[in-house]
Amino acid sequence: MKRFVYINDDETAHDLYCDNRISNRKYTILNFLPKNLWEQFRRLMNQYFLLIACLQLWPLITPVNPASTWGPLIFIFSVSAFKEAWDDYNRYLSDKQANEKDVWVIRDGIRKRIQAQDIHVGNIVWLRENDEVPCDLLLLGTSDPQGICFVETAALDGETDLKTRVLPMACVGLASELLCKIKGVIECPVPDKDIRRFDANLRLFPPFIDNDVCPLTINNTLLQSCYLRNTEWACGVAVYTGNETKLGMSRGIPEPKLTAVDAMIDKLIGAIFLFQIVVVTVLGFAGNIWKDTEGQQQWYVMYPDEEPWYELLVIPLRFELLCSIMIPISIKVSLDLVKSVYAKFIDWDEDMYDHDAQCHSHAANTAISEDLGQVEYILTDKTGTLTENKMIFRKCCISGTFYGSDSGDALRDGVLLNDVINRTPDVLRFLTVMSICNSVVPSKSSIGEITYKAQSQDEDALVTAAAHLNVIFLNRTGNILDVIFNNVIVQYELLDTLEFTSDRKRMSVVVRDSQSGKIFLLTKGADESILPVAGPAQQIRIFSDAVEHYAQSGLRTLCLAWRELNEDEYREWSLMFKEANSTLVDREWKLAEVCQRLEQDLEILGVTAIEDHLQEGVPETIEVLRKAGINFWMLTGDKQSTAIQIALSCNFIAPEPKGQLLLITGRTEDEVLRSLERVLLTMRIASSEPKEVAFVIDGWALEIALRHYKEIFTELADLSKTAICCRVTPSQKAQLVELLKSRDFRTLAIGDGGNDVRMIQQADIGVGISGREGLQAARAADYSIGKFRFLKRLILVHGRYSYNRTAFLSQYSFYKSLLICFIQILFSFISGVSGTSLFNSVSLMAYNIFYTSVPVLLTSVLDKDLKERTVMQHPQILFYCQAGRLLNPSTFAGWFGRSLFHAAVVFLIIIHAYADEKSEMEELSIVALSGCIWLQAFVVAMETNSFTGLQHLAIWGNLAAFYLINCIISLIPSSGMYKIMFRLCRMPSYWITMFLIVAIGMGPVIALKYFRFTYRSNAINILQQAEHSSRHPIFMDLEESSQKDGVISPSSPASQPKSSRSSPFQEPLLSDSPTNSNASRKSRGQAAIDFFQSSQSRLSYARNFKNN
């Protein structure tokens, strides 16, 4: 598919293509209400509550006023709708500002000022320095005589270095006054979101040029949201406008990620729904039996003589409405609210502030904070992620001579300096390739100092090193490259550039020496792409040895080569290159084929070695996270030896004899299969030993393994705590993430460059580093941080706290709903199993929205079971989060049992206390509600680990607010509660009842907690006791206590769990998880009967537990 853009032709474009109006809005005023309601009711749980609310409109079956359900439902929907409306309104304001910005265009041969939204495809747009590009433009002219301009693309790809954009060859030399009259046609592809490619052709109509085809690339474009810098003016023709620009096509709402906690909550809701159906069926059946037997004998119950056909459904439906509150209607809204607060804690964390980049950490995804505490695998890039991406030229090998080996710095090697002074031919050719085989743009300051603007840190290091050796890249003027050597300017004409791609792994330029007229091909690239295309007569062994030697020192290597071309050979190849460069279909593949024809029989000049230091704190961070039971995989495009050395230096793998590296190699399917089977056999044997074993695989072998032997490689991945994958492509990185996710592991991917984006988006959690390669990774990620070392705090502190708080809040939400529901069910046994509600509608609404929600929301978001310093010193306790020890069917069963126990306590006490009194129904209802509020205040207080003034205010202030609100309601004669609260508060029996409810309800729970905390302490309990008894930093050996609690610490040599008990932290204290040797990896230490886990997960648990 392609489109034709006619330059300076307004009429044609108006009908074919959209204007430049930007619209990121999701709604309009007319469709907001129906569309938002449709989106909300697409959720199954909302459909359920809507059905319940509609059933309550049937007076015959509703036990309470419909407002008790409609009120909370409308409130929650209104909150969600308001949030959506507010976000959409902000998008509208942003769009309005961009659409109404003034721009200059050419209309009817004259320059006019219009709004940006009125630009059409084919219009010529005129930009001045520092203007923002309003749409995607093809560059037609600039103020620079050589036809170049500079743009800042930070808003597009995050890269802060200025980029050079050049005029198409057909437009070079056109006078500025002719640009207003220019006519032509652009043949380009339909709009897409690839900001790296623009494969198009340009034909200018006579008299400008004789209708020749001019190929276009992305370097000839100015993309929307970029800024024109260091250029007086530039103009271009609009090729893509509005939402069809590359930036507009890239916009969109990413697919939501489902966390492990959310998945468990959905399963618990399903289980409660099934339980609710059973309860409704049983009670409905019992109610109909009572009505037909006992009910008919009661004089005060008047049943009609003839009952309608649906009479048998009335009582079951009444109980369905009564039991509908088993599923808390507010749980999703509550969790979304607190997760937003957790994300803000990450944004506000000053300990994760990067002073070098002057940026805070940022949580772009507010919905997955608790998943950070359950990470099991971290897949990391190397360059710029583990290293600083500050490239320094250290050593080189030229024609078999090693420079810099003694001093460690080739730039200070006297032998090399002498060879430069003596004009040694091989050395000069080597330095020339370093200097001009790149896309670097030199710029000279006002004081004459030359600086380089490079898109690659490697290129910057090479050009800077060549300049230190007196081969200075002075200027790039159009296609003329000026190089100074010993104060003599040497000019080269740049004929063609063979761009670097991840498949070719090399870059070449074709240049003509202006003095001699000779044509040279200059090439640089990875050893695996350069050495195989060397001339047959050249000995490459010494260069391959040099590459291996430098790689073992952890240095990044590049091979440099050259070849002289004869005129006829170049002319013939140039025609093929131009033809491939003009095609719109498969241009990249055809160009690679043509480039391969020229890049043959090269003369290898030498090898460069560049140093990239590790970031500060990387070894310590990896060591700490390993103690937390997290496994690491390194995915890099670097050479195998370099990656291994970096891995050794950052504690990624242990050196011999503690560690062992197993290599997976091969160029054929049989070789890879034999290597895989050998490594897999060794892994199986080593799994029972304390020795650390890791495997190393390159991109070639990985491609074969994933395509033909995926099952074997998957088993190997299950057994491997550490892996190093070298020479891998971005797509292979994403494949490896998907492989680990398919095995039900929680994955975190971290990187810093555009080649890491696919991996980051594929992982359960994506973390981007705001590095020297720009902000592409950071913008695509769920979280962005400034340095790798911040990952430790992100996981151990924020991830762990978020998981603990979310686990408590979600289970408490179920508890408080089940509590009120069980009281209703118990009341039905003394009300003829009729489905009559004990509580009135106002009380139920206030209970759900205010009395039980506010205290837990405020306390849970601030609660910390351990101090941050303690958590960082003892990373092993992250195991409780990874194993799902705080939220699983076992812990939920405890909360379920607690709610049933508390409901029985409240109901039996108030029934016996008021059995002999002539109490109104509303009075009994308020007493029961008071007992629930008192119990929940003490439950929240008991489950809170760290108190602040705000938390005390939330808990006890809410209790006082309950009495204040009910006293106010009791002043209203028509409320049905007239003076009831005042009468109760004056009665000693009421306060005695509250005391008995709290004492009997909380006594066993507190006693059990004390017993567990004192006599069956786990690692967290011990650390808490140490914190309370000491003001100094705590350093303890938790291995013994971990094994006592049934937890095998990740650092423990034990391979099998001895016992398994639930942590008392934020867990119900009426449940004790029994041992289950076959429990799933996701629920270590959970109940023996785990109906939420698959057999495959249980097997993976046994394997992973043993390895740890």
Side-chain angles (χ1 to χ4, degrees):
M1 297 291 292
K2 56 186 177 182
R3 66 160 53 178
F4 294 92
V5 176
Y6 292 91
I7 304 174
N8 250 339
D9 188 345
D10 293 336
E11 296 180 359
T12 305
H14 272 258
D15 299 329
L16 295 178
Y17 312 120
C18 67
D19 59 20
N20 199 42
R21 182 179 287 104
I22 298 171
S23 178
N24 294 305
R25 297 179 62 187
K26 190 175 178 180
Y27 306 100
T28 65
I29 295 177
L30 295 178
N31 72 9
F32 172 76
L33 187 60
K35 189 174 182 179
N36 183 262
L37 289 176
W38 168 254
E39 289 181 348
Q40 295 206 53
F41 284 122
R42 288 173 64 185
R43 302 171 188 167
L44 187 61
M45 196 166 69
N46 287 347
Q47 295 174 18
Y48 167 77
F49 285 118
L50 179 63
L51 175 62
I52 296 298
C54 291
L55 286 176
Q56 285 196 339
L57 295 176
W58 188 5
L60 184 62
I61 66 172
T62 180
V64 293
N65 192 303
S68 62
T69 299
W70 281 102
L73 188 67
I74 293 174
F75 174 78
I76 291 170
F77 279 13
S78 299
V79 170
S80 299
F82 177 79
K83 180 180 179 297
E84 286 288 322
W86 179 254
D87 291 342
D88 204 54
Y89 179 69
N90 288 329
R91 288 191 289 266
Y92 162 75
L93 293 180
S94 177
D95 292 343
K96 186 173 184 291
Q97 183 180 7
N99 289 331
E100 296 179 356
K101 187 175 296 184
D102 289 337
V103 294
W104 291 95
V105 299
I106 304 298
R107 292 275 175 87
D108 301 325
I110 59 175
R111 203 178 307 173
K112 294 182 178 179
R113 193 166 187 166
I114 64 172
Q115 291 186 344
Q117 62 187 356
D118 296 326
I119 297 174
H120 288 86
V121 170
N123 288 165
I124 295 179
V125 180
W126 205 276
L127 302 173
R128 293 176 295 183
E129 185 174 5
N130 298 324
D131 279 354
E132 182 181 2
V133 182
C135 59
D136 290 349
L137 305 176
L138 171 67
L139 193 61
L140 296 179
T142 77
S143 59
D144 187 274
Q146 304 304 322
I148 64 174
C149 68
F150 299 96
V151 293
E152 177 187 298
T153 62
L156 188 67
D157 57 17
E159 298 180 10
T160 55
D161 293 332
L162 297 184
K163 307 292 192 307
T164 304
R165 294 294 181 257
V166 299
L167 290 178
M169 292 303 298
C171 299
V172 174
L174 289 179
S176 59
E177 57 271 12
L178 295 178
L179 294 175
C180 299
K181 306 175 183 178
I182 193 170
K183 292 284 186 177
V185 62
I186 302 167
E187 183 184 12
C188 59
V190 294
D192 60 61
K193 61 182 179 180
D194 190 350
I195 64 174
R196 303 295 180 188
R197 294 183 60 184
F198 180 70
D199 299 335
N201 294 321
L202 168 67
R203 292 175 185 266
L204 293 182
F205 297 154
F208 297 96
I209 197 168
D210 192 17
N211 213 26
D212 283 346
V213 175
C214 175
L216 305 173
T217 69
I218 196 67
N219 290 327
N220 305 125
T221 63
L222 304 176
L223 299 184
Q224 185 186 42
S225 82
C226 297
Y227 285 85
L228 186 68
R229 303 294 191 199
N230 298 347
T231 306
E232 185 179 345
W233 62 265
C235 71
V237 58
V239 289
Y240 302 128
T241 54
N243 289 337
E244 292 184 345
T245 63
K246 290 186 177 292
L247 180 63
M249 298 290 287
S250 300
R251 296 189 186 103
I253 301 174
E255 288 294 324
K257 296 182 177 180
L258 183 67
T259 67
V261 169
D262 288 336
M264 179 57 67
I265 290 174
D266 289 342
K267 293 174 182 177
L268 293 177
I269 289 176
I272 291 175
F273 179 74
L274 295 177
F275 173 74
Q276 177 184 320
I277 295 299
V278 173
V279 170
V280 168
T281 303
V282 172
L283 292 178
F285 184 72
N288 282 317
I289 292 177
W290 188 92
K291 184 187 72 171
D292 295 335
T293 56
E294 298 294 330
Q296 297 290 346
Q297 301 175 12
Q298 306 300 322
W299 62 269
Y300 54 86
V301 180
M302 301 179 61
Y303 291 109
D305 296 333
E306 294 185 5
E307 297 180 345
W309 62 269
Y310 52 80
E311 185 65 27
L312 288 176
L313 298 177
V314 170
I315 294 180
L317 287 176
R318 192 174 295 165
F319 274 109
E320 172 62 31
L321 298 179
L322 203 63
C323 296
S324 63
I325 58 173
M326 279 187 180
I327 301 175
I329 191 173
S330 61
I331 185 170
K332 291 293 185 182
V333 173
S334 299
L335 289 177
D336 289 343
L337 179 61
V338 297
K339 287 180 181 182
S340 299
V341 177
Y342 302 157
K344 284 301 179 183
F345 287 160
I346 295 174
D347 295 347
W348 296 333
D349 193 340
E350 291 298 327
D351 291 334
M352 295 173 63
Y353 178 76
D354 183 12
H355 294 278
D356 295 335
Q358 295 185 350
C359 67
H360 284 90
S361 299
H362 176 62
N365 190 337
T366 61
I368 61 172
S369 298
E370 67 273 19
D371 251 7
L372 287 168
Q374 297 191 281
V375 171
E376 296 166 291
Y377 274 82
I378 292 178
L379 299 98
T380 175
D381 178 40
K382 182 183 74 68
T383 304
T385 303
L386 301 177
T387 63
E388 293 181 341
N389 203 18
K390 294 180 180 179
M391 307 300 180
I392 303 174
F393 182 86
R394 287 301 186 195
K395 301 177 184 180
C396 62
C397 172
I398 305 176
S399 299
T401 304
F402 288 80
Y403 299 100
S405 299
D406 297 330
S407 62
D409 188 355
L411 300 181
R412 299 179 182 179
D413 192 317
V415 179
L416 178 58
L417 295 175
N418 288 332
D419 287 346
V420 173
I421 294 173
N422 296 331
R423 295 173 177 260
T424 303
D426 288 344
V427 173
L428 290 184
R429 284 197 291 267
F430 184 86
L431 295 177
T432 301
V433 176
M434 284 176 55
S435 181
I436 64 175
C437 183
N438 51 58
S439 58
V440 173
V441 179
S443 61
K444 185 180 292 187
S445 65
S446 57
I447 59 175
E449 181 181 355
I450 297 176
T451 58
Y452 298 107
K453 299 183 183 301
Q455 299 184 29
S456 163
Q457 299 297 322
D458 292 280
E459 288 189 345
D460 183 65
L462 293 177
V463 175
T464 303
H468 278 92
L469 295 172
N470 294 324
V471 179
I472 304 172
F473 185 17
L474 178 64
N475 193 22
R476 183 188 292 267
T477 308
N479 290 335
I480 303 301
L481 311 177
D482 295 333
V483 179
I484 296 181
F485 176 67
N486 288 341
N487 297 322
V488 177
I489 296 180
V490 179
Q491 285 191 339
Y492 295 92
E493 180 186 358
L494 179 63
L495 301 178
D496 292 295
T497 300
L498 286 63
E499 299 284 354
F500 173 87
T501 66
S502 58
D503 294 327
R504 294 177 60 241
K505 297 182 179 179
R506 59 177 176 258
M507 173 199 179
S508 301
V509 294
V510 181
V511 298
R512 186 193 301 272
D513 190 329
S514 299
Q515 293 180 343
S516 64
K518 293 182 178 180
I519 301 175
F520 299 101
L521 171 70
L522 311 180
T523 305
K524 73 173 189 295
D527 58 290
E528 62 182 21
S529 66
I530 298 293
L531 298 183
V533 294
Q538 188 169 14
Q539 297 293 326
I540 63 173
R541 176 65 180 273
I542 189 169
F543 298 110
S544 60
D545 290 344
V547 169
E548 188 66 24
H549 172 70
Y550 292 143
Q552 289 179 356
S553 301
L555 301 176
R556 296 165 58 89
T557 59
L558 284 174
C559 292
L560 308 186
W562 83 307
R563 180 164 78 91
E564 184 177 347
L565 307 176
N566 60 58
E567 195 73 36
D568 293 336
E569 179 187 11
Y570 170 70
R571 189 180 299 110
E572 180 183 355
W573 176 86
S574 180
L575 292 175
M576 292 187 293
F577 183 73
K578 184 176 181 180
E579 181 181 355
N581 210 17
S582 301
T583 185
L584 297 184
V585 180
D586 296 330
R587 176 183 290 189
E588 186 174 346
W589 178 82
K590 293 178 180 179
L591 281 174
E593 186 179 23
V594 173
C595 293
Q596 183 70 25
R597 292 174 176 265
L598 193 67
E599 295 169 329
Q600 297 289 337
D601 299 327
L602 300 180
E603 178 185 344
I604 310 300
L605 297 175
V607 180
T608 65
I610 298 175
E611 183 181 40
D612 186 11
H613 286 289
L614 280 179
Q615 288 185 23
E616 178 188 353
V618 167
E620 295 81 4
T621 299
I622 292 178
E623 181 181 6
V624 168
L625 293 178
R626 278 202 178 283
K627 290 180 180 179
I630 298 176
N631 302 324
F632 278 84
W633 282 29
M634 179 192 292
L635 314 181
T636 177
D638 264 356
K639 187 175 177 59
Q640 177 177 294
S641 302
T642 304
I644 290 175
Q645 290 303 314
I646 294 296
L648 287 169
S649 63
C650 67
N651 290 335
F652 207 85
I653 53 177
E656 292 284 357
K658 293 183 178 180
Q660 180 182 0
L661 278 178
L662 305 175
L663 303 182
I664 301 174
T665 58
R667 287 291 182 266
T668 66
E669 294 180 19
D670 291 338
E671 291 176 353
V672 173
L673 177 60
R674 287 195 297 269
S675 185
L676 278 172
E677 290 176 340
R678 173 180 52 82
V679 171
L680 184 57
L681 179 61
T682 306
M683 282 281 190
R684 289 169 178 167
I685 297 172
S687 62
S688 59
E689 301 174 359
K691 190 173 186 178
E692 295 182 15
V693 181
F695 73 84
V696 182
I697 189 171
D698 61 20
W700 189 284
L702 180 62
E703 183 70 23
I704 296 175
L706 291 176
R707 181 175 299 177
H708 301 287
Y709 309 112
K710 190 170 183 178
E711 291 184 4
I712 299 177
F713 187 77
T714 300
E715 184 180 354
L716 181 63
D718 288 345
L719 294 171
S720 302
K721 296 170 60 178
T722 305
I724 301 173
C725 304
C726 314
R727 300 296 197 194
V728 292
T729 63
S731 61
Q732 287 177 327
K733 291 182 178 182
Q735 284 179 286
L736 290 171
V737 173
E738 179 60 31
L739 178 70
L740 290 174
K741 286 178 63 179
S742 70
R743 302 300 294 167
D744 202 25
F745 291 116
R746 282 285 141 182
T747 58
L748 182 150
I750 180 170
D752 74 314
N755 60 334
D756 301 318
V757 168
R758 291 183 63 181
M759 171 182 72
I760 287 172
Q761 292 178 331
Q762 185 66 46
D764 293 305
I765 304 166
V767 178
I769 291 183
S770 306
R772 292 175 174 269
E773 292 188 25
L775 298 175
Q776 277 184 281
R779 288 178 173 173
D782 302 303
Y783 300 92
S784 63
I785 57 178
K787 292 289 188 294
F788 183 85
R789 67 176 183 270
F790 297 150
L791 192 62
K792 176 173 61 176
R793 183 171 176 84
L794 184 67
I795 292 175
L796 296 182
V797 175
H798 293 286
R800 185 177 175 278
Y801 283 160
S802 296
Y803 172 77
N804 289 356
R805 293 161 176 168
T806 304
F808 167 64
L809 176 60
S810 57
Q811 293 179 114
Y812 174 84
S813 298
F814 286 115
Y815 158 78
K816 56 103 171 177
S817 295
L818 289 169
L819 171 62
I820 205 77
C821 185
F822 283 144
I823 293 176
Q824 298 271 54
I825 293 173
L826 292 174
F827 178 71
S828 69
F829 291 112
I830 65 171
S831 60
V833 200
S834 58
T836 304
S837 175
L838 173 63
F839 304 100
N840 61 44
S841 303
V842 176
S843 298
L844 287 176
M845 278 195 298
Y847 178 86
N848 282 317
I849 296 176
F850 183 75
Y851 297 147
T852 58
S853 296
V854 174
V856 73
L857 288 177
L858 292 178
T859 54
S860 62
V861 296
L862 299 175
D863 190 39
K864 297 180 180 180
D865 61 338
L866 292 169
K867 296 178 181 177
E868 295 178 5
R869 181 176 58 185
T870 305
V871 173
M872 298 288 277
Q873 290 169 355
H874 300 281
Q876 297 91 337
I877 59 176
L878 187 69
F879 178 84
Y880 289 89
C881 301
Q882 294 169 324
R885 292 288 298 273
L886 304 184
L887 176 60
N888 54 65
S890 172
T891 59
F892 175 75
W895 283 98
F896 186 92
R898 181 189 292 185
S899 64
L900 181 58
F901 171 66
H902 283 171
V905 168
V906 172
F907 181 75
L908 293 176
I909 289 178
I910 64 170
I911 289 300
H912 286 84
Y914 288 83
D916 298 328
E917 296 187 17
K918 295 180 180 179
S919 302
E920 299 178 12
M921 184 80 160
E922 291 292 345
E923 186 173 335
L924 195 65
S925 169
I926 289 296
V927 175
L929 190 64
S930 302
C932 293
I933 301 301
W934 274 94
L935 276 177
Q936 289 179 67
F938 278 90
V939 167
V940 174
M942 188 189 70
E943 298 294 342
T944 302
N945 298 285
S946 59
F947 280 100
T948 63
L950 183 60
Q951 288 169 301
H952 278 295
L953 179 63
I955 296 172
W956 311 118
N958 178 75
L959 190 60
F962 166 75
Y963 285 97
L964 178 61
I965 292 172
N966 280 279
C967 285
I968 294 174
I969 296 175
S970 295
L971 293 174
I972 304 173
S974 60
S975 65
M977 294 173 53
Y978 187 56
K979 294 188 177 181
I980 288 179
M981 200 71 228
F982 294 101
R983 185 165 65 251
L984 287 174
C985 291
R986 290 195 299 266
M987 296 169 59
S989 60
Y990 170 79
W991 297 108
I992 294 173
T993 301
M994 293 301 104
F995 173 79
L996 289 175
I997 288 174
V998 172
I1000 298 175
M1002 297 304 299
V1005 178
I1006 295 174
L1008 183 56
K1009 177 165 184 143
Y1010 175 81
F1011 174 78
R1012 283 187 167 183
F1013 196 87
T1014 306
Y1015 301 105
R1016 299 181 110 179
S1017 302
N1018 61 16
I1020 300 178
N1021 301 149
I1022 294 174
L1023 289 173
Q1024 286 181 319
Q1025 294 175 30
E1027 279 188 345
H1028 294 156
S1029 61
S1030 174
R1031 296 183 180 178
H1032 303 288
I1034 304 168
F1035 298 94
M1036 301 178 63
D1037 183 7
L1038 299 179
E1039 181 177 323
E1040 181 179 354
S1041 63
S1042 297
Q1043 294 182 10
K1044 176 182 176 183
D1045 183 52
V1047 176
I1048 303 301
S1049 167
S1051 60
S1052 170
S1055 60
Q1056 293 293 337
K1058 296 181 181 179
S1059 63
S1060 183
R1061 299 185 186 95
S1062 295
S1063 166
F1065 269 90
Q1066 296 178 350
E1067 295 188 11
L1069 299 176
L1070 297 178
S1071 154
D1072 197 2
S1073 304
T1075 302
N1076 178 19
S1077 59
N1078 292 322
S1080 77
R1081 171 182 53 77
K1082 291 289 185 184
S1083 55
R1084 303 164 197 168
Q1086 295 176 8
I1089 300 176
D1090 190 346
F1091 52 92
F1092 292 105
Q1093 298 290 349
S1094 64
S1095 59
Q1096 184 180 22
S1097 297
R1098 291 194 289 271
L1099 290 174
S1100 69
Y1101 155 69
R1103 177 214 64 243
N1104 198 56
F1105 213 42
K1106 186 175 182 181
N1107 288 342
N1108 277 312

